[in-house]
Amino acid sequence: MPKAPTHAAHGLKDVYASAMAAMQAGEAAKALEIFGAIHDANPKVAEVEYQIARLFLGFDRFGRALFHAAAAAALAPGQPAVWATYADAVALE
């Protein structure tokens, strides 16, 4: 995933919020770039894995979506939304 070094000085919550804002604004590629930077810094954040999986589903990159959805499910097995995204990725792969 691409790195977003311009976000390195911000707190994780601020960077996450900017990624969510990009998603909500319809800027999926920008959101993926920002989430990718968070993922590069810490690949064990379930919410980031989940959001990346959702974005890859939107890009019709089902294999990548499945990889990240599986990681999210492993990190947060009690979250129904994670499993729904995982199921979508499996069905579409």
Side-chain angles (χ1 to χ4, degrees):
M1 296 219 181
K3 294 197 183 257
T6 58
H7 300 292
H10 298 286
L12 179 60
K13 288 183 182 182
D14 292 338
V15 177
Y16 182 87
S18 68
M20 291 302 295
M23 279 181 69
Q24 292 168 354
E27 299 173 340
K30 180 178 178 182
L32 184 58
E33 179 181 339
I34 298 167
F35 281 126
I38 298 170
H39 185 268
D40 288 346
N42 184 354
K44 300 211 181 279
V45 179
E47 181 66 20
V48 171
E49 293 284 4
Y50 166 72
Q51 297 299 345
I52 291 171
R54 289 180 59 214
L55 286 162
F56 277 127
L57 283 174
F59 291 136
D60 294 339
R61 298 195 54 201
F62 306 125
R64 293 292 300 269
L66 181 57
F67 174 84
H68 290 283
L75 292 166
Q79 297 297 318
V82 168
W83 288 104
T85 298
Y86 183 82
D88 288 344
V90 167
L92 293 167
E93 175 59 13

